[in-house]
Every structure is written in C-alpha cells, then in structure tokens.
Amino acid sequence: MLHINDVSKQFQVPPTLALDRISATLYPHQTVAIVGPSGCGKSTLLRIVSGLDHATSGQLEWQVDNPHVALMPQNDGLFQWRTVVDNVALPLFIHKLPPATARQAALDLLAQFELDEFAHAYPDQLSGGMRSRVAFLRTMLAEPTLIALDEPFGALDSMTRAGIQRWLVSAARQRALSILLVTHDVEEAITLADRVLVMSARPGRIIADYPIDLPNRTDPNLRTDPRFLHALTSIRVALEQGAERR
Ligand code: ADP
Ligand code: MG
C-alpha cells in the first residue's frame, strides 16, 4: 500500500538529523507499530507520512489512488466547545457535507460502537478512555487510507489503556483498518500490531522488523502468552542495542 523509501529528515534550526534513511512497506489492513526512544523521530515520520511535513530526501510511494492519511495527534485534539457528535462529525463538516448528513453519519458510528449515549456530552464530561474512543472514531469517520496514531493513549492509566487497546484491536479487525501506530510502549505495540518496527535513538533508523503472531489479541491473559513474552524480550534487546549504537 505504501512504500517508504529511504526517507531522511534534516531540521535546519537547530541542525538535527531526525530520520536517517527510513525504509518500510505498509500493507493494507495491517496495524504496524513503530517503537523507539523519545526524540528518535517517530512523530516526524508520522507527520511526513500524513503529508504535514516533507522529507529532506527519499520518497513515499503510494500504491493506491488518492491516498488520504488521518492523524490522531498525541493529545486527542477534541474541541472542548463542541459536543461529542460534532467532534466526530468534524472531518465530514470539513469536506462540506450538509451538516445534518454529517451529524447522522457521526451518530451512526457512535451507535455502532455503543457510544451514542455520550453523543451530546462535551469532551470534558468524559473519562480519558472515552475521549480516546471518541477521538479515534473521529479519525475513522474520514475513511482514510491509513490511520496514523501518535502515542494515542499516553495520558491514560494502565487499566484504562488495556481496555482501550482491546477495543482498538477489535475495531481494527472488524473494519479491516490500516493503522500506523507510534508508541514508546513496547507492550502496547505487541498488543496492537501485526508488525513492530524498532527505531534506534536519533538519528532514527529502522533496526528491526518483527512480525507478531498472536491469535487472540483481546484475551485478558495475552501478556502472559509465551509468544508475547518472547516478542517483548526481543524488542527490548533491539531497543537497547539501538540506544547504544550512537
Ligand atoms: P519522537 O516523536 O520520537 O519523540 P520527534 O519526531 O518529535 O521525536 O523529534 C525528533 C528530533 O527532531 C528531536 O530531536 C526533535 O527535537 C527534533 N525536531 C522535531 N521537530 C523539529 C522542528 N520543527 N525543528 C527542529 N527540530 C525538530
Ligand atoms: Mg513524538
């Protein structure tokens, strides 16, 4: 679906080589996670893939017509002064759909995910986990080619995180979504992703590409599965090697 070919990013002020020849292929209907230490260029890569910034060298090669990436930012980006339904409908408002049509589509989506009882609440009336779900549905409503998530659950406590991770896995499977997820949480990456790409410390390079083979992602005991633990160890070792390399 998307070939990332030798993408580098050099910032001028201050002079920083953020990304160093990143190459990776993203396939449709897969969730790919990128893990790496803070400052290794994860957000920069997502911004380039989302079209919000340009690579200094290298290219993105899309294998689909009219690719569209929807980015869910590190803070959920919900507008406090808009109700949940109007937040979710935002991408359709931007695409100039009639407001009634846009709102109905948002309500339908909220109902499908059993969040319609919150439709007329404001974001600050919701728990953190609910806000994340709403922000994700807003990202999904645009029906993007690729959903890009930048440390989406960073602000949530670990119980809430585990719940929303299971929720996200089933949403991704149900809808055959294509997701690129950036996180520094290795367990989150393994729980959600079909593949985990490991980045080195800055300048960010991809130093490993692990397929994750776990059949039942929503199993509450997933984290004690030997395959989970094996992936966890391998990725941690790769991350440590990537931190030492500089
Ligand atoms: P991560 O998301 O992995 O924590 P970032 O992609 O945010 O890392 O940043 C990678 C590096 O690039 C950091 O050293 C950061 O300070 C630098 N950087 C990010 N954005 C800019 C910018 N607009 N101008 C200059 N340097 C930047
Ligand atoms: Mg970041």
Side-chain angles (χ1 to χ4, degrees), residues 75-93:
N75 65 345
D76 56 36
L78 296 178
F79 294 122
Q80 302 306 327
W81 62 90
R82 281 174 174 262
T83 58
V84 163
V85 61
D86 282 357
N87 265 291
V88 172
L90 193 71
L92 302 184
F93 292 147

Side-chain angles (χ1 to χ4, degrees), residues 5 10 34 54 63 72 77 91 93 126 129-130 133 145 147 169 180 183 185 198 227:
N5 289 330
Q10 170 79 50
I34 299 183
H54 293 287
Q63 311 285 304
M72 178 170 151
F93 292 147
L126 303 182
M130 285 299 166
R133 285 169 173 80
T145 321
I147 294 178
V169 166
L180 181 60
T183 178
D185 179 339
V198 181
R227 287 165 294 189

Side-chain angles (χ1 to χ4, degrees), residues 39 41-44 74 150-151 182:
K42 301 183 296 298
S43 294
T44 301
Q74 230 157 326
D150 194 352
E151 312 220 14
V182 152

Side-chain angles (χ1 to χ4, degrees), residues 181-194:
L181 162 83
V182 152
T183 178
H184 60 256
D185 179 339
V186 182
E187 299 196 5
E188 177 164 285
I190 300 169
T191 303
L192 295 177
D194 301 295

Side-chain angles (χ1 to χ4, degrees), residues 40-63:
C40 76
K42 301 183 296 298
S43 294
T44 301
L45 182 60
L46 272 201
R47 289 177 53 79
I48 291 172
V49 169
S50 309
L52 300 174
D53 201 348
H54 293 287
T56 311
S57 61
Q59 310 85 33
L60 301 181
E61 242 176 69
W62 287 94
Q63 311 285 304

